[in-house]
Amino acid sequence: MAKRLSETAADSQSAFSLFRCVSNIRYVNRLKFFSEVEHELKRIKSDRESPEIIALVADWGQGKSFFLDIIQEYGKEYHIDIKKVNFSDILDQWVPPKEGVVLIDEVENLVDPIVFSRHREEISDFWINLKTLANSQGNSIIYLSMTPSAFSKIFSVGGQIQYLFQETFPAFLERIKKVSLSLPSKLEFLLMINCSLKQNGFGDPDILKYLEFMDLPFWVTQPERRKYTRLINDVILSNFPSVEETFQEIARGTSKNVLNDEEETVKEKELLKLEDEVEVSERKRIYSTLMKRIGLTEDEIIEPLKKVVVKGSLIPYSKWLQATSDLPLASNLEDFLLTISRSRSVEDSLYIFVSEELEKVVYEGISADTDTLKKLKERTLPLASGEFYALRWDFYERIVNANVGGLIVDFKSREEKEMALRFVNENITDNKKLMESLVNFIKVAKTEWKVDKVNVMSSQLASLQISINEKRINVLLLYPTSEVDESILERSQNDVVHSVIVIKNDFVTDNQDMIGKLLGSMDKLSISSTLLDIPVPTRRQLLYLLFANKLREGANIRYDSIEIKLGELKREIENTVNKAYDTLIFPQLPATKQRLIQSFNWLIFYPMNEVAEVKDVFEKTDSIVNQKFRIFGSKQFHLEDFETESLLQEEIVPYLVSNGVIKEKNGLLDFRDLNGEVPRRISSIVAGLIRQKYGEYVPMLVNSFISSASGTPDEKLVNTVARLFQTKADQSLNFLTYVSLVSGELFKNLEKDEIIKSILNKISEISQNNIDDYFLTAKRRDAGIRSLSEMRNVMLRYKDMCMKAEEDLSFLRFCSAYVALSSIYDKLSSLAEESNNQTENQVKLEILNKIDVIVKVRKFLGIEEPTEEERLIETIIAKVNHIGEISREIEKIIRNLYNEGKGEEFKEAMDETLSAISMPQDQPVHLKLFVMKVLRSTLNGMRVPLIDFLKDMEIFNDINKLKDSSRIIADIEILFDSLNKAMPELPLIRKETSKVSQEIEETMEEIKMKVSKYEN
């Protein structure tokens, strides 16, 4: 009795025996499914420092349990600790081990809505345990067997893991290794049949003879475990070694309904037509020819089939591999060309059919004039020998249902199904229809997406816009048949492109380097991209879907089958588009009480480019910038008002680090490499989108840098970034745009050298007025003098550091600091010029007018000696011209006052004084103007409270002495003014009196001279 294979995972020993037999071949690297098994066995034999978590992904029936059976049996043989855990066990406080191998099957149950709702806490604990294991030390491996759909629902954006672990989702995802099982190739299919027959005691000669005719079973059997086992159990083992009986069971027996989802293996109507053309006795030859298809001898071909064959030769499989090792197209052709020609063993019996008309033996669409196909023929035909034949594929498909995998569309009638099949066959090589079918597939498979603005521009290019939530993703579909480069973006008719999906063209291989370069260039343009492999069976499914869409009524789309049959294609597109969607999600920073830009500027203004502690950052930035440039009360100052390092050290830096804005290590900041992951990622995305949107972007970014360095992010750039991310400008966007710009991170992915050179040229053009002047500023807890000359010295230091940015981008922040400080300096120097003009042309003139009145009254009274008031005022005015000395004296006094705790009193007195002398409190206090206005106000009899704090200074002591004289001066002015009004002729009288007196004196002198002369 034949030893039947198990259709379930119950018999792990038979699975391991089959693996041992199949993999015992020198071509093991050409296997698809079993080579992956071999790779995993090597994994479990090796040691590791930390545990590995493997997601074993394949559709239902495609070998996941079979895969785990082999691993389990392998562990038994080599004494490796391997445990198979039931799904229910992991929901019962299961803790993964740190040693050994654990196999968990059917993990897709975790995303079952009912299971998740009932066991949410247990499922969360399961993932927490796995995450903890992944971050620990150990030598264990955890295999998680699941379908592609489950993998997507668990690990993709918005999946179960992200739902459970919002913050650590990306890090955990990086620890998961995905192993996707491939469908068995024809080589593996033949080897599995060979091994199954051997295990049932059949000899090599009979097996090899039978294997020659296993081409048709390969094409009509859906690659699933149950269908393969039914083929072997119900067809092969039951009919071996009869080829005719095997064919009849496949074509007309009960097995035809179970070998694939279409429940059709051989198209009976077409077979009957062919049978009618020959005698009954000759039909056996038809069956054997259809079963073999390739590698036929001339004697095997019956008359009606002679017109549908291609002549060729056979080349040993080993020589084929050597000749085509560098031609990827060769591996795609093997399933169509591999055959058996009896020899001593199955290895030696493997041959490849080659022909000058090779393209007629495989799916339609391979062009006979492509360089790759020509190269393949040139290499292999000289190595081939003999005269053999193969059925043309177009004929073969008319009779044999080679649509492996079944349909994803149910048609209501046979006629509609045949119409669909004709539509598919007619358009299987139409690349424009491929574009249409792929767009249609996206609409059908992702119903939650809104697909619009579809434009199929050619057989090579199509564009569409996908709306996901509030984002609009512009997608390009590309099927390259010739040269291709970034110029395709210009033909997209979109503002920017977010995703490029390139469809692999196996029949054009001379542009692979160009495609590789194109895909490689997508990252720098912030475009997500993928290379889709859409083999002919998949293309067929897409065309069936397209036909169903055109038919509308009469067809039912099997959405469950879409996930099974086209799940990988769907997920590849989904992942690519979702990646583009993720790039448009601008990160949101938590709210904070501090102004982010002004707080971050404590780091931007740090005057060194080195590794530093936060304490040093505060102290040096405070002394060189804060204490020399800050004007208290000015809301536009570039640094947040931190009085000690504690706020910077305990709140700001931890906030920036925890949110990925900057990096730190062991409490230290490395200013040569300060930016964290967030500005790096944002800068990369923005740079790519800017590359796409703007041709000449360098001047725009240079102007934005200079503008943003003034303390507020450039409005044009902020609005541009907001538009590119399809969002509104908010605090996070403003801040992160500012960080990316002034740190130079944005320029790393652009024409960096050109941008930096332009910025430095702009910096070189900045010039300052060479003014030595001083300002007084105060608040309740601090006060000081600001010197323009000291500011210039600081700015020159930053400028020197800035110029090093041409060699090292980390120095660019000094350029930002220099521009920012220059803007402060320019405002203060302009204010100084205005204040000096006011001092000279207004305040000083008013004071001099008072002196003039005193002088006139004094002279009217006949007093020649200047009064004490005149001398004091002239002395004060002379001292004001030495304002630098006054500034140093004031700074020393106010420092002592604040140290003595009298800062609040000083500030109140200063505010009163500014109000009294008509100077604004929200602007810097120009020291010279301030002193002169204090003098003027004192002469006007006003109370100046600040003098009480400054009277130890000689100049303010002198002003204070004038306080008692102010009323007398005022009275003199009033009296003088009254006299001028009451006796306007008084000046003339004084003038006439003076003239008469002079004449009298002159007359007296003449008399004296005459008397003297007379006496003599």
Side-chain angles (χ1 to χ4, degrees):
M1 186 176 185
K3 182 181 179 182
R4 295 172 63 87
L5 297 178
S6 172
E7 293 185 18
T8 67
D11 187 5
S12 59
Q13 289 183 346
S14 66
F16 187 61
S17 298
L18 184 62
F19 161 73
R20 270 291 175 80
C21 178
V22 171
S23 60
N24 187 27
I25 185 173
R26 62 176 177 266
Y27 305 122
V28 67
N29 63 325
R30 299 299 290 184
L31 305 179
K32 294 182 179 179
F33 179 86
F34 287 99
S35 64
E36 288 168 353
V37 177
E38 187 76 31
H39 178 78
E40 292 307 308
L41 294 183
K42 290 179 182 178
R43 186 196 299 273
I44 67 175
K45 280 174 61 178
S46 62
D47 293 328
R48 59 204 48 78
E49 294 183 358
S50 61
E52 293 183 84
I53 301 174
I54 312 295
L56 191 64
V57 182
D59 283 326
W60 294 106
Q62 290 186 355
K64 298 187 297 298
S65 299
F66 183 77
F67 194 105
L68 298 181
D69 286 346
I70 295 171
I71 292 178
Q72 188 175 21
E73 288 301 314
Y74 183 83
K76 291 177 183 178
E77 183 168 320
Y78 289 92
H79 307 292
I80 299 172
D81 182 19
I82 297 180
K83 293 183 177 65
K84 206 167 187 179
V85 178
N86 293 326
F87 167 73
S88 58
D89 294 338
I90 67 173
L91 300 179
D92 186 21
Q93 298 181 341
W94 179 76
V95 178
K98 291 192 175 182
E99 301 291 332
V101 180
V102 179
L103 313 176
I104 306 175
D105 204 357
E106 298 184 351
V107 175
E108 54 267 9
N109 288 303
L110 292 177
V111 293
D112 182 279
I114 296 176
V115 174
F116 187 73
S117 63
R118 290 178 180 174
H119 302 282
R120 176 175 174 175
E121 290 187 9
E122 293 90 339
I123 291 173
S124 178
D125 290 341
F126 168 72
W127 290 119
I128 289 173
N129 289 335
L130 278 190
K131 187 174 70 168
T132 303
L133 179 72
N135 293 320
S136 66
Q137 293 184 338
N139 191 30
S140 62
I141 305 175
I142 310 295
Y143 283 94
L144 306 175
S145 169
M146 65 188 74
T147 63
S149 174
F151 182 86
S152 177
K153 292 177 181 177
I154 291 172
F155 295 110
S156 66
V157 175
Q160 190 178 92
I161 298 298
Q162 189 179 35
Y163 175 73
L164 294 172
F165 313 113
Q166 291 283 341
E167 295 182 358
T168 58
F169 164 69
F172 185 34
L173 194 61
E174 289 179 359
R175 300 306 306 270
I176 306 297
K177 297 181 176 67
K178 182 183 179 184
V179 175
S180 297
L181 300 185
S182 301
L183 297 176
S185 63
K186 185 178 179 181
L187 174 61
E188 288 172 291
F189 178 81
L190 295 175
L191 292 174
M192 283 190 286
I193 294 176
N194 172 63
C195 292
S196 298
L197 291 172
K198 275 188 174 183
Q199 289 173 356
N200 277 274
F202 298 111
D204 284 345
D206 291 335
I207 294 174
L208 291 175
K209 181 180 179 180
Y210 188 74
L211 287 177
E212 290 182 38
F213 302 94
M214 287 297 103
D215 184 80
L216 184 143
F218 171 73
W219 291 113
V220 301
T221 306
Q222 197 165 313
E224 293 182 8
R225 177 178 180 146
R226 287 175 177 81
K227 290 179 172 57
Y228 274 179
T229 55
R230 287 180 181 179
L231 172 71
I232 293 172
N233 291 336
D234 300 339
V235 179
I236 292 174
L237 293 178
S238 299
N239 296 285
F240 181 85
S242 173
V243 175
E244 181 183 2
E245 291 177 8
T246 301
F247 175 82
Q248 291 293 358
E249 177 60 31
I250 291 174
R252 294 184 167 113
T254 56
S255 296
K256 74 174 184 178
N257 298 321
V258 298
L259 294 183
N260 61 55
D261 288 343
E262 293 183 70
E263 299 181 357
E264 181 183 60
T265 53
V266 177
K267 300 167 186 178
E268 197 161 358
K269 286 183 180 180
E270 297 295 330
L271 180 61
L272 288 171
K273 290 179 184 178
L274 190 59
E275 288 175 331
D276 288 342
E277 295 184 33
V278 298
E279 297 293 330
V280 174
S281 60
E282 293 291 315
R283 290 176 182 175
K284 180 179 180 179
R285 294 174 64 189
I286 291 177
Y287 308 149
S288 63
T289 301
L290 292 176
M291 288 285 283
K292 190 172 184 179
R293 185 184 65 89
I294 200 159
L296 300 163
T297 62
E298 189 173 8
D299 294 339
E300 291 176 302
I301 306 170
I302 198 168
E303 187 61 37
L305 298 181
K306 288 183 178 180
K307 58 187 177 183
V308 291
V309 295
V310 172
K311 184 179 178 181
S313 304
L314 295 183
I315 175 175
Y317 188 54
S318 57
K319 291 185 178 180
W320 163 268
L321 295 179
Q322 292 174 4
T324 62
S325 59
D326 61 337
L327 300 177
L329 179 62
S331 63
N332 297 327
L333 298 178
E334 284 184 11
D335 286 350
F336 300 96
L337 306 178
L338 183 67
T339 188
I340 296 288
S341 183
R342 276 170 279 170
S343 185
R344 290 171 300 175
S345 66
V346 68
E347 284 184 340
D348 297 328
S349 301
L350 297 172
Y351 283 83
I352 294 290
F353 177 83
V354 292
S355 168
E356 289 287 359
E357 298 180 288
L358 194 61
E359 60 277 3
K360 295 181 180 180
V361 185
V362 298
Y363 277 122
E364 302 99 322
I366 296 182
S367 177
D369 61 354
T370 62
D371 291 342
T372 303
L373 195 55
K374 284 182 179 179
K375 191 180 295 184
L376 185 144
K377 291 177 183 178
E378 290 169 359
R379 293 184 185 180
T380 58
L381 285 171
L383 303 175
S385 61
E387 186 175 302
F388 295 90
Y389 298 86
L391 294 175
R392 284 171 41 177
W393 187 263
D394 57 352
F395 164 78
Y396 190 68
E397 267 199 322
R398 288 207 310 267
I399 297 176
V400 177
N401 180 18
N403 181 27
V404 178
L407 296 181
I408 56 178
V409 180
D410 288 331
F411 295 96
K412 292 182 179 180
S413 67
R414 187 79 178 178
E415 291 75 14
E416 289 169 347
K417 185 175 182 181
E418 290 177 354
M419 286 171 56
L421 184 58
R422 283 197 301 273
F423 174 82
V424 171
N425 287 335
E426 289 170 1
N427 295 289
I428 194 69
T429 60
D430 188 330
N431 295 331
K432 195 166 185 178
K433 277 290 187 289
L434 174 62
M435 292 291 188
E436 292 179 19
S437 65
L438 196 57
V439 172
N440 177 67
F441 171 68
I442 294 172
K443 291 180 180 179
V444 172
K446 293 295 295 181
T447 53
E448 65 270 32
W449 291 352
K450 182 184 177 184
V451 179
D452 48 27
K453 295 187 178 179
V454 176
N455 183 11
V456 180
M457 290 168 271
S458 68
S459 61
Q460 299 181 51
L461 186 64
S463 67
L464 62 150
Q465 188 175 92
I466 298 175
S467 296
I468 306 177
N469 297 328
E470 75 285 1
K471 306 296 184 184
R472 297 176 304 283
I473 315 297
N474 296 322
V475 181
L476 278 190
L477 303 179
L478 177 65
Y479 188 72
T481 57
S482 57
E483 293 187 4
V484 60
D485 55 32
E486 293 177 24
S487 63
I488 63 163
L489 303 180
E490 299 173 4
R491 296 162 56 194
S492 69
Q493 301 177 0
N494 287 314
D495 186 20
V496 292
V497 175
H498 301 105
S499 285
V500 169
I501 297 174
V502 180
I503 303 166
K504 186 179 179 182
N505 189 341
D506 289 330
F507 312 131
V508 180
T509 57
D510 59 349
N511 63 355
Q512 295 304 305
D513 289 342
M514 285 180 285
I515 292 174
K517 289 179 181 178
L518 174 67
L519 293 174
S521 68
M522 293 297 98
D523 280 345
K524 72 176 184 179
L525 297 173
S526 299
I527 296 175
S528 65
S529 62
T530 187
L531 180 62
L532 289 184
D533 188 2
I534 305 183
V536 174
T538 303
R539 184 184 285 209
R540 286 179 170 276
Q541 300 283 15
L542 295 176
L543 287 170
Y544 275 119
L545 269 180
L546 181 61
F547 181 81
N549 179 60
K550 294 178 181 296
L551 190 64
R552 299 196 179 276
E553 296 182 4
N556 177 46
I557 296 173
R558 298 165 58 191
Y559 287 94
D560 55 338
S561 294
I562 288 179
E563 193 62 42
I564 295 172
K565 309 300 181 187
L566 299 175
E568 283 301 319
L569 178 64
K570 173 188 170 183
R571 281 179 288 281
E572 193 70 33
I573 295 171
E574 186 179 53
N575 291 339
T576 303
V577 174
N578 280 340
K579 185 178 178 182
Y581 174 79
D582 290 343
T583 63
L584 297 181
I585 303 299
F586 201 92
Q588 290 297 304
L589 301 176
T592 177
K593 295 181 292 184
Q594 308 300 332
R595 294 182 299 170
L596 284 175
I597 291 176
Q598 286 78 1
S599 299
F600 181 75
N601 277 346
W602 278 88
L603 308 182
I604 291 293
F605 282 87
Y606 179 60
M608 312 291 288
N609 206 40
E610 61 185 10
V611 177
E613 294 182 0
V614 178
K615 181 181 179 182
D616 291 336
V617 173
F618 174 83
E619 290 177 352
K620 291 182 179 178
T621 305
D622 181 61
S623 64
I624 199 169
V625 177
N626 205 39
Q627 296 297 330
K628 297 193 184 304
F629 286 84
R630 177 179 291 282
I631 302 298
F632 298 118
S634 173
K635 295 181 180 180
Q636 301 304 316
F637 190 63
H638 303 277
L639 293 181
E640 192 73 339
D641 193 3
F642 300 149
E643 295 181 4
T644 65
E645 74 272 7
S646 59
L647 197 57
L648 186 65
Q649 189 167 15
E650 297 170 10
E651 184 175 327
I652 299 303
V653 169
Y655 175 91
L656 296 173
V657 171
S658 63
N659 287 291
V661 180
I662 63 171
K663 298 182 295 185
E664 75 165 354
K665 187 175 182 180
N666 301 323
L668 298 175
L669 302 178
D670 186 351
F671 282 84
R672 298 162 299 186
D673 184 24
L674 186 62
N675 286 334
E677 180 59 31
V678 171
R680 289 174 189 267
R681 177 178 173 273
I682 290 171
S683 297
S684 176
I685 295 170
V686 172
L689 296 176
I690 283 177
R691 275 185 183 274
Q692 285 194 60
K693 187 174 177 61
Y694 301 99
E696 291 294 326
Y697 56 79
V698 172
M700 176 188 76
L701 291 179
V702 171
N703 291 333
S704 293
F705 179 87
I706 299 298
S707 175
S708 297
S710 63
T712 303
D714 179 59
E715 186 176 355
K716 289 184 179 178
L717 182 63
V718 167
N719 291 336
T720 296
V721 172
R723 283 195 301 272
L724 292 175
F725 280 86
Q726 301 176 29
T727 188
K728 295 180 179 179
D730 56 15
Q731 184 186 39
S732 294
L733 189 140
N734 285 349
F735 172 62
L736 293 174
T737 301
Y738 176 79
V739 172
S740 302
L741 189 64
V742 301
S743 67
E745 190 68 43
L746 178 59
F747 307 144
K748 288 182 178 179
N749 300 295
L750 295 167
E751 303 302 327
K752 184 189 70 172
D753 294 341
E754 184 180 352
I755 294 172
I756 300 304
K757 185 177 180 180
S758 297
I759 288 175
L760 296 184
N761 288 338
K762 289 274 188 181
I763 297 294
S764 300
E765 293 171 2
I766 297 175
S767 61
Q768 286 83 31
N769 296 326
N770 193 14
I771 299 175
D772 290 336
D773 223 324
Y774 303 87
F775 291 86
L776 171 64
T777 183
K779 63 177 182 177
R780 295 186 181 279
R781 295 181 299 278
D782 197 7
I785 296 293
R786 304 295 180 245
S787 165
L788 291 183
S789 60
E790 289 184 2
M791 289 182 181
R792 282 198 306 278
N793 292 335
V794 171
M795 286 156 53
L796 288 174
R797 176 176 177 178
Y798 278 96
K799 186 175 183 179
D800 290 341
M801 299 286 274
C802 161
M803 292 301 162
K804 297 180 182 180
E806 199 162 13
E807 303 297 329
D808 186 346
L809 189 63
S810 64
F811 282 89
L812 188 65
R813 64 183 176 88
F814 293 104
C815 299
S816 172
Y818 174 73
V819 175
L821 297 179
S822 293
S823 69
I824 296 174
Y825 179 88
D826 288 344
K827 291 176 183 177
L828 290 178
S829 62
S830 296
L831 182 59
E833 189 173 350
E834 293 173 9
S835 299
N836 283 323
N837 288 336
Q838 186 181 359
T839 300
E840 294 296 325
N841 300 326
Q842 181 183 337
V843 181
K844 186 176 179 180
L845 288 179
E846 291 180 17
I847 294 171
L848 292 176
N849 285 338
K850 291 183 180 292
I851 296 176
D852 186 55
V853 170
I854 296 172
V855 171
K856 288 178 179 178
V857 171
R858 171 171 58 78
K859 288 186 176 181
F860 179 78
L861 298 174
I863 302 172
E864 295 296 331
E865 284 294 321
T867 64
E868 182 66 20
E869 288 78 10
E870 289 177 66
R871 284 194 293 270
L872 279 175
I873 292 172
E874 290 173 355
T875 300
I876 292 168
I877 291 174
K879 288 180 179 178
V880 168
N881 292 327
H882 300 88
I883 197 67
E885 297 178 9
I886 296 173
S887 70
R888 289 187 286 274
E889 289 185 60
I890 292 180
E891 189 158 37
K892 182 178 179 181
I893 288 174
I894 60 178
R895 184 61 54 208
N896 292 334
L897 288 171
Y898 276 80
N899 289 338
E900 294 169 3
K902 298 179 181 179
E904 288 195 26
E905 299 173 38
F906 180 84
K907 175 62 172 138
E908 289 176 3
M910 183 172 172
D911 289 344
E912 279 188 58
T913 299
L914 293 175
S915 177
I917 65 177
S918 300
M919 290 188 76
Q921 298 180 27
D922 59 348
Q923 287 189 12
V925 178
H926 184 254
L927 192 56
K928 187 174 183 180
L929 179 61
F930 173 76
V931 174
M932 293 296 283
K933 281 199 170 187
V934 167
L935 173 59
R936 183 187 65 179
S937 298
T938 301
L939 292 175
N940 288 337
M942 293 183 183
R943 181 177 177 274
V944 182
L946 201 62
I947 290 181
D948 295 338
F949 293 90
L950 303 175
K951 58 188 177 184
D952 289 341
M953 288 179 61
E954 186 176 355
I955 188 170
F956 285 102
N957 185 46
D958 289 343
I959 293 174
N960 194 47
K961 291 177 181 178
L962 293 171
K963 182 172 61 175
D964 295 334
S965 304
S966 61
R967 180 168 293 180
I968 299 173
I969 293 173
D971 290 342
I972 291 173
E973 286 182 304
I974 293 171
L975 177 61
F976 188 75
D977 187 57
S978 298
L979 286 173
N980 282 334
K981 290 179 181 179
M983 300 176 62
E985 70 278 7
L986 184 60
L988 294 175
I989 295 173
R990 285 203 303 269
K991 185 176 180 181
E992 187 63 29
T993 303
S994 177
K995 182 179 180 182
V996 171
S997 298
Q998 186 177 354
E999 290 177 351
I1000 292 172
E1001 288 179 5
E1002 291 175 357
T1003 302
M1004 290 298 294
E1005 285 297 321
E1006 289 180 7
I1007 294 172
K1008 287 179 180 180
M1009 289 175 63
K1010 290 180 178 180
V1011 169
S1012 176
K1013 185 176 179 182
Y1014 178 76
E1015 288 178 348
N1016 292 333

